[in-house]
Amino acid sequence: LGNFSGRTRSAVSVREGQGVVLMCSPPLHSPEIIYSWVFNEFPSFVAEDSRRFISQETGNLYISKVQTSDVGSYICLVKNTVTNARVLSPPTPLTLRNDGVMGEYEPKIEVHFPYTVTAARGTTVKMECFALGNPVPTISWRKVNGHNPSKARLRKSQAVLEIPNVQLEDAGMYECKAENSRGRNVFRGQLQVYTYPHWVEKLNDTQLDSGDQLRWECKATGKPRPTYRWLKNGVPLWPQSRIEMVNGVLMIHSLNVSDAGMYQCLAENKYGTIYASAELKILASAPTFPLNQLRKTIIVTKGQEVTIECKPQASPKPSITWKKGDKVLRETKRITILPHGSLRILNASKSDEGRYLCQGVNVFGSAEIIASVSVKEPTRIELTPKKIELTVGESIVLSCKALHDSTLDVNFYWTLNGQPIDFEKEDGHFESIRAQASSADLMIRNILLMHAGRYGCRVQTAADAVADETELLVRGPPGSPGVVIVEEITDTTATLSWSPGADNHSPISLYNLQARSPFSLGWQTVKTVPDVISGDMESAMAVELNPWVEYEFRVVATNKIGTGDPSAPSRVIRTNEAVPKTPPANVSGRSGRRHELVIAWEPVSEEFQNGEGFGYIVAFRPNGTRGWKEKMVTSSDASKFIYRDESVPPLTPFEVKVGVYNNKGDGPFSPIVVICSAEGEPTAAPIDVKATSLSVSEILVAWKHIKESLGRPQGFEVGYWKDMEQEEAAEKVKTEGNESSILLTGLEGNTVYHLTVRAYNAAGYGPPSTAVRAATKKSPPSQAPSNIMWIQDGSHVSLGWEPVRPLANESDVMGYKVLFRQEGQSNSQVIETQKTSAVVLLPDVGVYIIEVCAVSEGGDGTASPQIRVPSFSGKVT
């Protein structure tokens, strides 16, 4: 991007309302630039609109109608879009003349696209059109003799027509029209779209025999239409006596070795050239035969067709001669030499046996092959039995015998429905047995429905192959019936239909209808109308269903062979609602508080609630009275009702019955039972409560209870808490029955506990006793006896140790225990002593383990380290 000339630009003076063009006159530059104009000072840029336009072709600024606001200094800015470099022109002043205002005038097109616009297909075309005029002209575009492309866009107040991805169909005459109230002006130009050449058909490498003809064609598209030229090994190829070139087609007659080489086809128009290359190889060789054709033996059976292959590789193509023995073979109706050289013999017989020779000859040499033909008797096959009907679970043996030429070996192959039987994948159902050379058996054990079909035996020899088939029909239980459809539903019935499944070659004798609900244990047979559903029926009614229960139904078919698989389940349906018919069971009384009548029952299962809004009606009356009191219990899960009346004495007998209802109405009541009102919770507190500390973690609690006629206890609860804790934090332990003491364990040592006792029964708890106190013992000494010394005299061991001195928070030492046991045994013998010494008698021969520990009020202290003492003296008497 060069720099602008530094020469000062002259002022441009126009009348108001007149049009003006400010010239940019850009410096030398590459194509990748954009133009803009600065007004007065940078960075105030001129905004383009219907009145002002900057051409990206010339860089000039066009103002169709000058206003007073346009007066000022204008600078052309050129920017390189690749390097972002930019340069500014010297300013061009724009002033207004003072000799009046310009009147209205018709548009004058100052900017327009060329008369001929050329563009490559796929590029974006931009065509400019802008006019001066007063009033400001409007710009419109159209494609002459056609419609504007739908993808075309109008930019810069319609001054630019932009066509992206231009195609051949977008070419044509385009018109730009500038129009105002004073008139109009039109410009027309031609858009031409060109394409580079593009291959439609290319060349392929080719190899031909000498003397053959070459024909190569290359095709290319392009606009303008491409022309073609040919090169051979990089040198232009011209028409000659054997060489023709017409419209991309190259033909060379009577090829020879000199024609071999690398050829190129050039397709070109004025916008570009493309190349296609291929190599031509000329073959010239004496006849040779591939290894698979050399010296072979052909074995056939009488009446078969024999083809002896003779296809030598040679260039040019060789002539073929056949001999049988030493005589040249003549063609007949049965014996024919095929166009490619092979020999075909129809309806072979013993006379065709012998040695055959094929010779290929061309100018470069010759070659021959030899084949021997042997004609055998045809193989025959017998497969028995011919048609079999079996029942699932039975077994069968198919026998296949072959009658064949004694000089040939035979192989047997078994198929089912045309597919080879895979004996390893059939789970032992099939076994192939070959007892003799000319026969084979197929054992089918425990046959299944899937084993029905066409069984084939194929016998293969070196000369021929023959096959035979037999049909095996398998009878079995019926297949699954079709989809079950629920036709009609009531509160206790469902009318169902289905389509029959396969009878598996044994007519269906009856159907069984099954149902499943959330309350059943899987599928259950349901009662139907008719009672017995015969095999020719395809509908029935299920009866004695429960109302308002979701059911699925399925059908199972049975024939003489057995019962088949069930149908797929029907859709889930719910029977209609009905008044409940099942009252609660086991209506009885429960313990409660004083003045309460507690009535309990087993809730009715949802299966028998028969509808929504299910609940219970509890009716009761004192014995000997007539009127019933009734209470509604709206929860379907309820199992208890409590009636409280302060005037009801304990153990008053009541007659009670519980009924059911739902949204459809009231159902039946349960049988009347007699229930007594509650006797209440215990009223007396235990007396003579005593707490005795037994050890560091145990306290024995004992009490007495005053017998009551009402509120009889079922047991007692002892609460205990530490001296520094609140009673609310008490831990509790219960007894059952008439127990009058309990041993508390797991307590903390050397700790004061408070204890209370209270009776309880099903109605609740009685008052607690007066609290008593007890302290657990101090913990036993943590120090073990030390410095243990021992002297052995025969079976007697004298022990001595230093006394244990307890800590301040530990129990005083009351004595010592000496524990000894024979090694390998778990039970120890114990000697207690007040002293710090003891004598131990070891009764048997062996090694003894001895330990010593202190004894205190809080229990046994820590044991001393073990000592091992051997005893040799034997038992002492």
Side-chain angles (χ1 to χ4, degrees):
L1 180 61
N3 289 314
F4 279 94
S5 167
R7 182 163 52 86
T8 302
R9 298 193 174 189
S10 302
V12 177
S13 184
V14 296
R15 291 177 182 171
E16 183 179 350
Q18 186 178 355
V20 69
V21 180
L22 300 182
M23 310 299 287
C24 178
S25 302
L28 292 173
H29 57 79
S30 63
E32 299 85 1
I33 62 166
I34 54 174
Y35 296 97
S36 57
W37 282 79
V38 177
F39 181 55
N40 288 332
E41 61 182 19
F42 187 83
S44 175
F45 289 93
V46 174
E48 294 182 83
D49 52 26
S50 62
R51 196 172 61 86
R52 293 172 293 192
F53 176 70
I54 300 171
S55 171
Q56 294 302 318
E57 297 293 333
T58 65
N60 298 339
L61 171 61
Y62 300 84
I63 304 176
S64 63
K65 175 186 172 184
V66 174
Q67 301 174 355
T68 55
S69 60
D70 296 326
V71 173
S73 177
Y74 289 83
I75 300 169
C76 180
L77 187 149
V78 184
K79 180 180 177 181
N80 186 309
T81 57
V82 177
T83 65
N84 284 329
R86 59 188 179 183
V87 291
L88 299 169
S89 72
T92 301
L94 177 64
T95 62
L96 287 181
R97 290 165 53 176
N98 52 14
D99 56 351
V101 177
M102 183 74 174
E104 293 184 353
Y105 63 96
E106 68 180 16
K108 178 185 177 186
I109 295 177
E110 284 287 340
V111 182
H112 60 74
F113 52 97
Y115 287 101
T116 302
V117 178
T118 58
R121 185 173 66 178
T123 60
T124 297
V125 174
K126 294 181 182 179
M127 294 185 282
E128 296 183 342
C129 184
F130 190 77
L132 309 183
N134 186 5
V136 174
T138 57
I139 307 295
S140 61
W141 295 82
R142 77 182 182 95
K143 184 181 181 185
V144 182
N145 299 325
H147 297 285
N148 286 351
S150 59
K151 60 192 172 183
R153 301 289 181 265
L154 294 175
R155 311 287 188 195
K156 296 189 176 184
S157 300
Q158 306 194 112
V160 176
L161 175 65
E162 182 179 295
I163 307 175
N165 189 25
V166 70
Q167 298 297 315
L168 295 176
E169 60 268 22
D170 299 327
M173 182 72 73
Y174 283 82
E175 178 185 275
C176 159
K177 182 171 68 175
E179 192 171 15
N180 65 9
S181 59
R182 304 298 296 178
R184 64 178 184 173
N185 206 341
V186 172
F187 176 81
R188 288 183 176 182
Q190 186 78 26
L191 172 61
Q192 295 180 349
V193 179
Y194 64 86
T195 60
Y196 298 104
H198 176 76
W199 287 120
V200 175
E201 188 173 326
K202 285 182 161 186
L203 307 178
N204 292 312
D205 290 343
T206 303
Q207 60 181 26
L208 295 170
D209 293 334
S210 59
D212 285 352
Q213 175 180 297
L214 168 70
R215 186 183 189 279
W216 263 334
E217 182 177 8
C218 53
K219 288 183 182 179
T221 60
K223 191 171 182 182
R225 180 180 296 173
T227 59
Y228 302 94
R229 290 189 293 126
W230 289 87
L231 305 178
K232 177 187 176 185
N233 297 328
V235 177
L237 193 63
W238 306 107
Q240 298 174 19
S241 59
R242 294 187 303 111
I243 302 175
E244 299 177 28
M245 290 177 286
V246 181
N247 292 331
V249 176
L250 171 65
M251 295 184 66
I252 304 177
H253 304 278
S254 300
L255 289 168
N256 56 52
V257 176
S258 66
D259 294 318
M262 184 64 70
Y263 288 76
Q264 282 184 306
C265 177
L266 282 66
E268 54 192 350
N269 63 17
K270 69 178 190 176
Y271 298 106
T273 303
I274 55 176
Y275 298 82
S277 301
E279 184 180 7
L280 174 62
K281 291 182 179 179
I282 305 301
L283 304 178
S285 62
T288 60
F289 285 95
L291 291 175
N292 63 347
Q293 293 184 31
L294 296 176
R295 191 172 291 279
K296 60 167 63 175
T297 299
I298 299 173
I299 303 174
V300 296
T301 58
K302 289 180 180 178
Q304 281 189 326
E305 177 183 307
V306 183
T307 299
I308 308 174
E309 195 172 13
C310 179
K311 296 179 182 178
Q313 296 170 348
S315 182
K317 185 177 179 181
S319 60
I320 301 297
T321 303
W322 278 93
K323 292 182 180 180
K324 181 183 179 186
D326 296 328
K327 294 182 179 180
V328 175
L329 198 61
R330 298 180 181 277
E331 291 191 79
T332 66
K333 290 183 179 180
R334 275 195 326 112
I335 301 173
T336 310
I337 300 174
L338 301 176
H340 53 69
S342 296
L343 180 67
R344 182 175 65 191
I345 303 173
L346 302 177
N347 192 19
S349 65
K350 279 288 186 179
S351 63
D352 296 317
E353 288 187 327
R355 175 176 171 273
Y356 289 80
L357 180 144
C358 173
Q359 184 180 50
V361 179
N362 70 5
V363 295
F364 298 107
S366 65
E368 60 187 33
I369 58 168
I370 296 173
S372 295
V373 174
S374 179
V375 181
K376 305 289 185 180
E377 291 294 328
T379 305
R380 288 180 294 143
I381 188 174
E382 183 180 337
L383 178 60
T384 56
K386 272 301 174 191
K387 188 166 184 180
I388 319 111
E389 292 187 8
L390 294 176
T391 301
V392 167
E394 293 181 341
S395 299
I396 186 74
V397 175
L398 303 182
S399 181
C400 185
K401 294 181 181 179
L403 303 174
H404 60 92
D405 192 295
S406 60
T407 62
L408 297 176
D409 292 330
V410 292
N411 289 307
F412 293 85
Y413 303 94
W414 292 97
T415 61
L416 172 56
N417 296 324
Q419 298 299 315
I421 295 175
D422 189 335
F423 291 93
E424 293 183 359
K425 291 186 178 179
E426 291 295 340
D427 297 328
H429 288 286
F430 294 97
E431 182 183 354
S432 177
I433 303 170
R434 185 80 180 269
Q436 299 176 5
S438 298
S439 66
D441 294 336
L442 174 64
M443 166 71 80
I444 311 174
R445 297 186 180 90
N446 191 23
I447 202 161
L448 304 177
L449 286 171
M450 61 186 288
H451 295 147
R454 293 176 294 104
Y455 283 82
C457 174
R458 185 169 63 90
V459 175
Q460 179 82 52
T461 70
D464 60 356
V466 290
D468 195 8
E469 286 189 340
T470 185
E471 188 79 21
L472 175 58
L473 185 145
V474 179
R475 295 185 299 267
S480 302
V483 177
V484 177
I485 298 173
V486 181
E487 304 281 0
E488 186 179 351
I489 194 78
T490 70
D491 56 346
T492 59
T493 67
T495 303
L496 311 171
S497 65
W498 60 90
S499 56
D503 65 6
N504 291 328
H505 310 292
S506 177
I508 296 172
S509 54
L510 60 89
Y511 288 101
N512 180 259
L513 192 57
Q514 298 177 341
R516 178 172 67 180
S517 76
F519 313 105
S520 65
L521 295 174
W523 291 94
Q524 303 289 328
T525 299
V526 294
K527 290 188 176 180
T528 58
V529 173
D531 287 340
V532 177
I533 307 171
S534 61
D536 58 352
M537 297 181 66
E538 295 180 15
S539 67
M541 179 186 289
V543 298
E544 297 186 18
L545 305 176
N546 289 326
W548 202 61
V549 170
E550 289 185 337
Y551 284 98
E552 293 175 279
F553 298 95
R554 71 181 188 185
V555 178
V556 182
T558 300
N559 61 14
K560 289 182 179 179
I561 310 301
T563 299
D565 292 330
S567 68
S570 71
R571 63 182 176 88
V572 177
I573 59 98
R574 185 187 284 274
T575 48
N576 298 336
E577 293 182 283
V579 173
K581 296 181 179 179
T582 305
N586 295 330
V587 177
S588 61
R590 293 286 188 272
S591 297
R593 296 187 175 277
R594 211 174 297 274
H595 310 300
E596 287 181 350
L597 174 64
V598 181
I599 303 168
W601 61 88
E602 287 184 11
V604 175
S605 164
E606 185 182 344
E607 182 179 7
F608 303 106
Q609 293 177 7
N610 291 11
E612 292 190 288
F614 182 85
Y616 300 93
I617 303 171
V618 181
F620 53 92
R621 64 186 179 188
N623 261 8
T625 60
R626 300 188 64 180
W628 290 93
K629 280 192 177 182
E630 291 188 351
K631 298 291 182 181
M632 305 280 285
V633 179
T634 58
S635 171
S636 61
D637 297 326
S639 61
K640 184 170 70 172
F641 174 74
I642 300 175
Y643 171 68
R644 184 171 180 82
D645 187 343
E646 296 290 339
S647 65
V648 175
L651 301 178
T652 300
F654 281 80
E655 289 183 311
V656 176
K657 60 182 180 179
V658 181
V660 289
Y661 71 92
N662 63 17
N663 290 346
K664 285 289 185 178
D666 293 348
F669 279 90
S670 65
I672 296 173
V673 296
V674 176
I675 298 173
C676 291
S677 60
E679 62 176 316
E681 66 276 7
T683 57
I687 60 174
D688 291 343
V689 178
K690 294 180 181 177
T692 306
S693 175
L694 299 185
S695 71
V696 66
S697 61
E698 298 173 322
I699 294 178
L700 178 64
V701 185
W703 61 87
K704 294 180 181 177
H705 182 67
I706 301 172
K707 290 187 177 179
E708 302 176 76
S709 58
L710 296 174
R712 292 164 293 183
Q714 294 176 352
F716 295 89
E717 180 186 81
V718 177
Y720 58 97
W721 64 95
K722 296 177 187 176
D723 192 32
M724 302 302 292
E725 294 176 343
Q726 298 295 319
E727 185 175 355
E728 289 74 17
E731 295 191 45
K732 297 178 176 61
V733 62
K734 284 185 176 180
T735 69
E736 293 184 2
N738 294 323
E739 297 275 345
S740 59
S741 65
I742 189 171
L743 180 65
L744 302 180
T745 60
L747 306 177
E748 289 187 18
N750 196 24
T751 302
V752 174
Y753 283 88
H754 299 264
L755 306 99
T756 61
V757 184
R758 59 176 177 172
Y760 70 88
N761 61 15
Y765 290 91
S769 66
T770 304
V772 296
R773 290 161 49 101
T776 52
K777 306 292 186 184
K778 291 182 179 181
S779 57
S782 57
Q783 179 190 349
S786 58
N787 292 337
I788 297 178
M789 294 173 290
W790 57 279
I791 299 173
Q792 185 174 8
D793 182 10
S795 61
H796 291 79
V797 178
S798 298
L799 298 165
W801 56 87
E802 291 188 2
V804 173
R805 308 197 183 281
L807 303 176
N809 61 345
E810 296 177 343
S811 299
D812 292 334
V813 175
M814 300 166 57
Y816 296 92
K817 285 182 180 178
V818 178
L819 299 91
F820 63 99
R821 58 183 171 81
Q822 201 164 12
E823 191 172 44
Q825 296 183 354
S826 57
N827 294 327
S828 297
Q829 299 182 51
V830 180
I831 298 174
E832 295 191 12
T833 177
Q834 305 290 323
K835 303 175 184 179
T836 57
S837 62
V839 176
V840 177
L841 174 64
L842 305 179
D844 296 316
V845 175
V847 177
Y848 281 81
I849 307 298
I850 301 176
E851 298 173 289
V852 182
C853 66
V855 177
S856 71
E857 191 178 43
D860 293 345
T862 304
S864 67
Q866 295 178 348
I867 59 174
R868 292 163 53 87
V869 179
S871 173
F872 306 106
S873 58
K875 192 166 184 178
V876 176
T877 57

